[in-house]
Amino acid sequence: LAVALFDEELRLLRANQRYRDLTGTDTVGALGRSVYDSFPNALADLDDLIDNVVGGLPMIPHRVAFRPRVGAERMIDVMFTAVAPASAAPGNEGGLLFVGTDVTDREQLRADLARSIAQLETIFDVIPDSVRVFDADGKIARSNAQAALEHGAARPEALEDLWRLDRPRTIDGVSLFVHEHPTARALGGERVRGMSLTVRRGEDAANAGAERVVEVNSNPLRDESGK
């Protein structure tokens, strides 16, 4: 954290090295400087924020770009807090505390993650296979565009709905109970590869109940705790 303490006259009393690195100031030259002049490289006017806190208004962190002497801009969550006097005795008039949290790397990671998610969602939707992700309770958490076309207007929300719509049977004609469905087996921790099933697809009048043969792959997905 970049930290600076200003006295009751709003002049810099002390600051840590992180504050000096952030603002590009040195300790000797900065001491006694007004709080309004203590953030020369902030790419936003902080005067209103300071005035509000001095006037008794609460403040939430405010994100401000800083331009350091070396390197790229840094995004800082800026926080000013009024410091109450320790006592009513002279010399204990209080002051103002500045705390700055550098969130540049975190926000860059967030932006990178957002881009990765967008790319994966695009890939997920253009896969020609039907893909569904189920949660631990068997509810459909996500499905791709191809999966949405399989049952017309019907939108299965859980494994049981999908099983009821598909009426899956083995190639030999044996109907599967819901607990025998490849997805149910994957939810139990089993990996199912290349299982051929006959399923019912299509809801329009000309294609009602049409049967299709599909190859099913189901894999368990585990969280960090192994669930």
Side-chain angles (χ1 to χ4, degrees), residues 50-159:
I50 296 168
D51 288 342
N52 288 340
V53 174
V54 171
L57 296 177
M59 179 184 171
I60 60 174
H62 191 84
R63 190 155 297 171
V64 177
F66 279 73
R67 181 173 291 143
R69 288 178 178 174
V70 180
E73 289 181 6
R74 308 298 295 179
M75 297 305 299
I76 308 296
D77 276 355
V78 169
M79 185 75 178
F80 290 99
T81 305
V83 179
S87 69
N92 290 289
E93 289 83 358
L96 188 69
L97 177 68
F98 162 80
V99 176
T101 306
D102 192 330
V103 296
T104 310
D105 294 340
R106 185 182 71 194
E107 290 306 307
Q108 184 60 52
L109 287 173
R110 194 193 306 274
D112 292 345
L113 179 60
R115 281 193 295 271
S116 296
I117 290 174
Q119 291 169 353
L120 289 173
E121 286 181 339
T122 300
I123 294 169
F124 187 70
D125 262 338
V126 299
I127 291 174
D129 297 325
S130 170
V131 183
R132 293 182 176 87
V133 179
F134 294 79
D135 66 16
D137 297 320
K139 291 184 171 56
I140 297 174
R142 170 165 254 146
S143 57
N144 70 350
Q146 182 60 36
L149 299 175
E150 290 182 343
H151 301 101
R155 292 290 184 267
E157 297 181 357
L159 172 58

